Each structure stands twice: as structure tokens, then as C-alpha cells.
Amino acid sequence: MGQKVFDSGRNGFYRDTVRDFDIVFKDKQTFMGSSHYHPYFEICCVKNGQCRIFVEHKLFVVRKGEIVILPPSILHRNQYEQKSPAERINLSFTREFIEPVLNCIMPDFLEKVMVLGKSGFCGSERERFFGLLDLLLRERQKGDFYGEMKVYGLLLGLFSMIGENFLNAKNGENGENAESSENFWKEEPLDPAAAGVQEAAKFIFENYADRITLEKAAEVAGMCPTYFSRKFSEVTGYGFKEYLTNVRLKHSQEMLVSGTLTVTQIAFACGFGDANYFGDAFRKHTGCSPREFRKKWKK
């Protein structure tokens, strides 16, 4: 089942390669990914090294043995470090693929557990979790007669570990992975400068329709504009204007798909002061005009 998806790294609108389920191992990744979002769930699992994922307006530093859960339609960008190349496994699946199985066991699992956040596994739990991921990778490559049954079984094993970790953290229980689980689905503790940048990003994300200047965002972060501009890029991977435009464009795409407003009305509703500028920015970002995007999605 192909999924229609927008991804700025693949020239806008395309037919996604993830059908129902996919798992990919990415070795020694050091380049910074493009900002994007997709219509399926994704679990980013770091096997070695570390990476930073800036999700909407939250920063997650993901270290060895940790995972980040990304629900559908969440704007995010990955950053990697030259000194500590990240080895990670990306697990993706659609709601339509997994719900028939989950509905027989725990119908509300996706809503209660598969929400934005970070968790981690230590010791034998880490070995078990990544062992299941390795088995999934092998089953994906084999594709034998019983492959789909095995995939569902392994996925349920992974979900049970994630759910147990969530329950332990929620109940404040101690255990082998207690240190990691206390941060489960919580924001990353940040130094003062990064915390200020995150606060400014949250302000932008929640007030994207207003006129937001660099000076105003810097004031929210408690910094001078020049220092804020540099720190914002270091922490998030975005330039200030780039991030503001990405947030506005994401909301405009959602309005084009689900609403009835005209393109000009959407431009102003998303904070673009000029409809022509909105059209140019949209085309540069997606490879098509807002009207073409709306027509393609409807088809």
C-alpha cells in the first residue's frame, strides 16, 4: 500500500517507498538530514554513536541504546556528529499495517504508547531489543513464505519492551533500565543556551501565524540577536528564517489538503505577508505550486 507523503528531501510530493512496514540499517551516518515528515510511524534506534533529532520544537540527544518515537506528520530533522558517527536502525510502519494485530491485543497501544518521546535500554535489555531489530532486518531481506508472520511476532516483541519501559517509567519502578526510563517521553535536559533556543522554537511553532522577527525570537530566548542566530543554528540545525518558513509551510500543506480556504487566504493564515512570496517559497520547498499540490493530493 503506497503512501502519499511530503518530504522536502525528495522534492516535495512523491509516492513513498515505505508501503506497510520497513526497516533499514544506516551505518556511520555523519551528514545532516533534511527536514521532513511522513504519514507513518517511525522509531529511530541508535545502535552506536549518537545523533540529535530536532522534532517540531523539541531537541532529543539520542545515544547508544536509545530510541525516539516519531508519530505521523511530525516535522523533524536529524543531525550527526563527525567525531561520533551514528549507527542506527530506522523502523517504519503504517497504522493500517499494525492495527489489525494490535486491536486483538491492546487496541489503544498506538495512542497511549507510540507518541513523541525518547526512551532507552541498558545491559541485557539493550541486547535483547537490538537483537530483535537484527532479526527483523534479516526477515525483511529473506521474504520467505512465513516472513510476514515472523515480522508481526518480532514487532510485537519490540512493542512489549517499549510498553514495559513506559509502564516502569510511569510507575517510577526501579530496574536495570531505570536510569534511561526516567526520561521516557520527557524533554531532554538542556544547558541554558540550548534551553533558551528551545523556548524560542516553541514560541515560533505556536505563533507561526504572527509576525515574528529575529529580534523577537531572541528576546524570548533571553539572548542578543547575533548570538541567538548562531546558537539557534547550532542547536536545531535550522537557520532562524529557515525554521520559521518550514513550520509555516507544513501548516500550509495541511490546510491545502484538509481545508477549503483559497491559496491567498492560506498564505496570510500561515504568516506569509505576501501571497506571491508564499507561492515562491512553496514551490522552492516542494517542487510544485500550492494549487498543484492541492490537485495532486486530491487525485
Side-chain angles (χ1 to χ4, degrees):
M1 179 182 63
Q3 293 291 307
K4 293 180 178 179
V5 62
F6 171 77
D7 188 321
S8 63
R10 304 185 190 180
N11 297 319
F13 196 86
Y14 72 109
R15 183 65 67 171
D16 191 11
T17 54
V18 174
R19 294 182 175 86
D20 297 311
F21 158 79
D22 199 14
I23 183 167
V24 180
F25 174 67
K26 299 192 175 183
D27 183 23
K28 296 182 180 178
Q29 198 154 3
T30 57
F31 63 89
M32 181 169 65
S34 61
S35 59
H36 63 282
Y37 62 96
H38 33 64
Y40 46 81
F41 291 87
E42 182 177 67
I43 306 177
C44 175
C45 314
V46 174
K47 197 170 186 179
N48 281 301
Q50 72 175 40
C51 68
R52 293 150 61 95
I53 305 181
F54 190 73
V55 189
E56 296 198 326
H57 58 79
K58 299 176 182 177
L59 176 67
F60 295 98
V61 180
V62 197
R63 302 172 182 86
K64 179 179 178 180
E66 294 182 331
I67 67 172
V68 168
I69 295 174
L70 299 168
S73 300
I74 296 289
L75 181 67
H76 57 280
R77 167 174 277 183
N78 298 345
Q79 301 177 69
Y80 303 94
E81 299 179 6
Q82 293 289 337
K83 295 181 180 179
S84 182
E87 292 184 3
R88 63 189 180 93
I89 297 174
N90 271 20
L91 176 64
S92 306
F93 55 91
T94 64
R95 178 181 292 272
E96 292 79 7
F97 175 74
I98 201 65
E99 267 194 337
V101 176
L102 288 177
N103 284 343
C104 300
I105 306 168
M106 189 179 292
D108 56 355
F109 180 84
L110 295 179
E111 282 67 34
K112 285 191 174 181
V113 179
M114 299 303 292
V115 295
L116 174 63
K118 186 182 84 166
S119 181
F121 300 92
C122 298
S124 61
E125 289 294 296
R126 179 191 297 168
E127 292 180 10
R128 181 185 164 206
F129 186 84
F130 281 89
L132 289 173
L133 287 173
D134 288 337
L135 287 173
L136 263 178
L137 279 166
R138 288 199 287 272
E139 288 302 328
R140 185 62 168 169
Q141 294 165 355
K142 285 165 57 179
D144 60 18
F145 183 75
Y146 291 104
E148 187 165 324
M149 185 182 295
K150 294 176 184 176
V151 164
Y152 277 121
L154 291 168
L155 280 174
L156 290 177
L158 289 168
F159 289 170
S160 68
M161 291 190 70
I162 293 171
E164 286 173 354
N165 209 5
F166 171 72
L167 187 62
N168 290 341
K170 184 178 178 182
N171 295 336
E173 295 179 7
N174 295 320
E176 188 176 17
N177 62 345
E179 183 180 349
S180 296
S181 65
E182 16 180 80
N183 288 328
F184 201 62
W185 281 279
K186 294 183 180 180
E187 296 183 28
E188 184 77 14
L190 302 174
D191 61 72
V197 166
Q198 184 166 273
E199 191 63 30
K202 181 180 180 182
F203 173 80
I204 295 168
F205 192 84
E206 294 177 347
N207 299 278
Y208 65 91
D210 299 337
R211 182 177 179 273
I212 302 176
T213 64
L214 175 65
E215 289 73 20
K216 178 60 179 176
E219 181 184 339
V220 172
M223 305 174 187
C224 72
T226 303
Y227 179 68
F228 169 75
S229 180
R230 185 173 78 251
K231 290 302 295 183
F232 193 90
S233 180
E234 289 177 4
V235 172
T236 68
Y238 292 92
F240 161 73
K241 189 173 181 180
E242 179 192 10
Y243 176 70
L244 176 59
T245 302
N246 269 268
V247 171
R248 286 172 169 171
L249 288 174
K250 178 181 183 294
H251 284 283
S252 73
Q253 290 148 19
E254 292 170 352
M255 294 174 75
L256 285 165
V257 171
S258 60
T260 58
L261 295 178
T262 66
V263 171
T264 300
Q265 289 172 327
I266 290 173
F268 288 110
C270 291
F272 292 95
D274 181 89
N276 291 328
Y277 173 70
F278 166 60
D280 292 341
F282 195 97
R283 184 183 293 276
K284 181 179 179 181
H285 198 68
T286 68
C288 63
S289 71
R291 288 183 177 83
E292 290 169 339
F293 184 89
R294 176 174 265 172
K295 288 179 182 178
K296 287 180 181 181
W297 187 272
K298 287 182 178 179
K299 287 181 183 179

